[in-house]
Amino acid sequence: MQFTLIGFIVLIAFGVPIAFVLGLITLISIATTGNMAMLYSLPSRMFSSTLNFGLVAIPLFILVGELMNYGGITRRLINFCTALLGHVRGGLAYVNVLANAMAASIMGSANAQIAVMSKVMVPEMERQGYKKDFSTALTVSSSVMGPLIPPSMPFILFAVTANGAVSIAALFIAGIIPGILFGIAFAILVSFFARKHNFPKSERVKFSVISKSFLNILPAMIIPGAIIIGIMTGAFTATESAAIASLVAILVGFFLYKELKLKDIPKILINTTVNSAIVTFLVATASIFGWILTFEQIPQLIADYIMSIVSGPMTFLLVVNIFLLLVGMFMEGAAAMIILVPILMPVALSYGIDPLHFGVIVVVNLTIGILTPPVGTGLFIASSIVDITLERLIKSVIPFLVAALIVLLIITYIPSISTWIPSQMTK
């Protein structure tokens, strides 16, 4: 196992994509242990790991995000938020937070949200006198809401890797209040900076303009509305909601907004296919890596060690938070989740921790990883799009990172924040 660990560290250090790292480490482990017969089972195990109905939701929600971008939905969301809040001191910064929250209810991916919002919000904030450092940091940080407010691809992966301990639909609903908490925390921080730096504000617009902007976004809001209402009423599953959301996004883009064109469809499908293939390949390689870990009894050893040093559920959650934050600094969130959830979930259940609560904690921790160097993907995406150095961006992100950690602690030690809405659905 020493060769496996050394190989993992070396490959990560050289920047090899995590999916390839997991596959190569599996082969190294088999070769060094002499269990060559396991090679015959690798292809079937990789294939079978992707045969999960819940995973079908991932390409569908990616498709929804692509349709939204090409269909003009993002621009209309921002226009509404600007009409509503632009006249407030630091109004465009509040717009950034609110627009990210609304986009989160459609996209479900933090990285996709960062890419879209960085192209739109940062240049506009610069034109109105905001510093690029602050604008970019706010945009990146606000994207943390993406995986929490449904739909959410990380919640789908968590449910799949938790081996049926919790449903995708319940996780979607559990993330609503935590996502709103992050929005409130960032808005409070914006309020502080607005007074400190005397942020600009625009003229108050007429109520008729706000009303028109609101009517413009109503068709787009059918998408998250259909998802949440459908899941809460039991009308359809999370995967079925993804298909319905895709259909609604097509209808809205083609017939209501009329910005989605037939010529855009090939590009949309290609982007969806490529991004879906990346996630699927990661699931496949992580599954065989997890198989090797199980064969070596690593999960059991880790679980036994944790239980030997941790006295209760509150201490366990603190240890998990610290551990996952460290992991998120060096590993992409989806890969970390696929590897670690099967190890940590049984331990969490043994301490009597609600699986919904634990799922939200895991997703929040690994999502915060997009804000932390050296592997924070959100930092790299935003810095390349807006042309800002990583050093400047990291320095500006620190206050938002502190706010995110405070919210994480609140979510961790007040379980009802995650479990209250799902509990009401079962009554």
Side-chain angles (χ1 to χ4, degrees), residues 35 46 58 80 89 93 103 110 133 137 159 239 273 301-302 319-320 333 353 422:
N35 297 311
M46 292 180 70
I58 291 178
F80 168 69
R89 172 90 41 208
D133 308 45
T239 303
T273 302
L301 292 173
I302 293 174
V319 170
V320 166
I353 296 169

Side-chain angles (χ1 to χ4, degrees), residues 14-302:
F14 276 95
V16 178
I18 186 64
F20 291 102
V21 171
L22 297 175
L24 289 171
I25 288 303
T26 300
L27 295 176
I28 292 172
S29 179
I30 291 174
T32 54
T33 56
N35 297 311
M36 303 306 291
M38 298 177 74
L39 289 174
Y40 295 106
S41 301
L42 286 186
S44 63
R45 283 190 171 271
M46 292 180 70
F47 180 70
S48 63
S49 68
T50 63
L51 298 180
N52 188 301
F53 183 63
L55 291 175
V56 177
I58 291 178
L60 289 172
F61 281 128
I62 292 175
L63 176 61
V64 171
E66 291 291 334
L67 290 168
M68 184 184 103
N69 293 337
Y70 281 89
I73 296 175
T74 305
R75 178 170 50 79
R76 285 173 171 80
L77 290 177
I78 293 172
N79 288 344
F80 168 69
C81 295
T82 303
L84 189 67
L85 297 172
H87 64 281
V88 180
R89 172 90 41 208
L92 202 54
Y94 290 110
V95 167
N96 196 328
V97 177
L98 182 58
N100 265 290
M102 297 177 76
S105 67
I106 300 174
M107 285 190 180
S109 167
N111 287 333
Q113 196 165 314
I114 289 171
V116 172
M117 301 304 284
S118 294
K119 293 176 184 175
V120 179
M121 288 304 307
V122 176
E124 183 60 30
M125 290 183 73
E126 277 194 280
R127 277 193 290 271
Q128 292 201 19
Y130 294 83
K131 291 183 178 180
K132 181 186 288 188
D133 308 45
F134 172 82
S135 304
T136 311
L138 177 61
T139 304
V140 173
S141 303
S142 297
S143 68
V144 171
M145 293 180 283
L148 294 175
I149 300 175
S152 165
M153 283 185 282
F155 278 145
I156 296 170
L157 287 176
F158 182 90
V160 169
T161 53
N163 296 319
V166 64
S167 72
I168 297 173
L171 282 168
F172 275 11
I173 303 304
I176 294 175
I177 296 180
I180 293 172
L181 272 183
F182 273 99
I184 293 172
F186 295 144
I188 292 172
L189 205 53
V190 166
S191 174
F192 168 76
F193 283 119
R195 291 194 300 271
K196 181 178 180 181
H197 300 293
N198 196 30
F199 282 167
K201 60 180 179 178
S202 57
E203 294 293 325
R204 183 187 294 271
V205 300
K206 296 180 179 178
F207 180 75
S208 59
V209 176
I210 298 175
S211 301
K212 184 178 179 181
S213 298
F214 177 70
L215 291 175
N216 278 336
I217 68 160
L218 269 183
M221 289 296 99
I222 295 174
I223 298 172
I227 293 170
I228 295 172
I229 294 172
I231 291 174
M232 292 185 70
T233 58
F236 39 74
T237 66
T239 303
E240 291 165 348
S241 76
I244 292 171
S246 300
L247 176 61
V248 173
I250 291 172
L251 295 175
V252 169
F254 266 122
F255 300 109
L256 291 178
Y257 292 160
K258 298 180 180 179
E259 291 191 25
L260 187 62
K261 309 297 181 184
L262 282 175
K263 66 178 182 179
D264 298 326
I265 298 300
K267 289 184 288 186
I268 290 172
L269 294 179
I270 289 171
N271 290 342
T272 301
T273 302
V274 170
N275 290 323
S276 301
I278 293 170
V279 176
T280 304
F281 183 58
L282 178 58
V283 169
T285 55
S287 71
I288 58 172
F289 180 72
W291 178 44
I292 293 297
L293 292 179
T294 303
F295 182 80
E296 297 287 343
Q297 296 186 325
I298 301 302
Q300 187 60 46
L301 292 173
I302 293 174

Side-chain angles (χ1 to χ4, degrees), residues 284 310 380 417:
V310 173
F380 286 98
I417 290 174

